[in-house]
Amino acid sequence: MTVARELLLDTPGIEDGAALWRIARDSRTLDLNSPYSYLLWCRDFAGTSVVARTAHGEPIGFVTGYVRPERPRTLVVWQVAVDEAHRGRGLAAAMLDDLAQRAAASGVREVETTITPDNEASHRLFTSFAARHGARTERGVLFDTALFPDDHGPEVLYRIGPLV
């Protein structure tokens, strides 16, 4: 995995919320949340999220996550996005590994995420994450299409663990 040395993996702050929203919007694959929600995320879930920055401090990628209240050893990865100009360099994998390492220090032993069936990049990202961490992967539909009020496809749950 090649990640440029001049990039910094950091904890997001509320001043990053607008940039995270723009990166998510420009990804054209993520479900875009309101700008307000990204501000809240950077305030309330900064400890379970990561932002990649250029040497000048500009956000160019992020992973948002939270620890499930009912399963405190489980980190749920909500969104992963990398600015188009910085894709293909292993940045998403580096951010995910960094976040998992930080979360493990707090007792997290499992990662969950959901992925739509057509999102091949995310399927590859989380399958390779599991392999790097020597973890099993369980898959199954978490939210079927009928649960969504729009034309959203199903969300497949990936449960990865235990992390080693």
Side-chain angles (χ1 to χ4, degrees):
M1 158 175 24
T2 305
V3 178
R5 293 183 191 275
E6 64 273 4
L7 296 180
L8 171 68
L9 301 182
D10 195 11
T11 301
I14 57 171
E15 65 281 357
D16 297 316
L20 272 58
W21 178 83
R22 282 191 294 278
I23 293 167
R25 178 198 64 197
D26 294 348
S27 75
R28 295 180 304 279
T29 57
L30 293 178
D31 289 337
L32 186 61
N33 299 295
S34 72
Y36 179 73
S37 68
Y38 290 92
L39 291 170
L40 282 175
W41 207 280
C42 289
R43 184 191 76 165
D44 295 342
F45 299 108
T48 51
S49 299
V50 63
V51 63
R53 303 180 189 282
T54 65
H56 298 94
E58 173 190 1
I60 57 167
F62 69 87
V63 177
T64 52
Y66 63 92
V67 173
R68 278 188 66 190
E70 298 82 14
R71 294 180 73 151
R73 295 172 51 100
T74 300
L75 173 71
V76 176
V77 174
W78 181 260
Q79 290 188 317
V80 178
V82 175
D83 180 79
E84 188 171 12
H86 298 274
R87 292 182 191 155
R89 301 178 191 172
L91 185 53
M95 290 188 297
L96 191 55
D97 286 346
D98 180 78
L99 181 56
Q101 180 180 356
R102 286 192 285 127
S106 299
V108 166
R109 297 292 174 258
E110 183 176 75
V111 171
E112 288 184 354
T113 195
T114 62
I115 306 171
T116 56
D118 61 344
N119 189 336
E120 287 301 321
S122 288
H123 290 288
R124 286 191 306 272
L125 174 64
F126 284 93
T127 299
S128 66
F129 171 82
R132 283 192 309 280
H133 292 271
R136 291 184 319 273
T137 303
E138 298 174 14
R139 295 177 188 90
V141 173
L142 179 63
F143 300 123
D144 192 67
T145 302
L147 295 172
F148 292 96
D150 57 10
D151 62 352
H152 197 290
E155 289 282 347
V156 177
L157 174 68
Y158 275 56
R159 183 172 285 139
I160 301 168
L163 301 178
V164 293

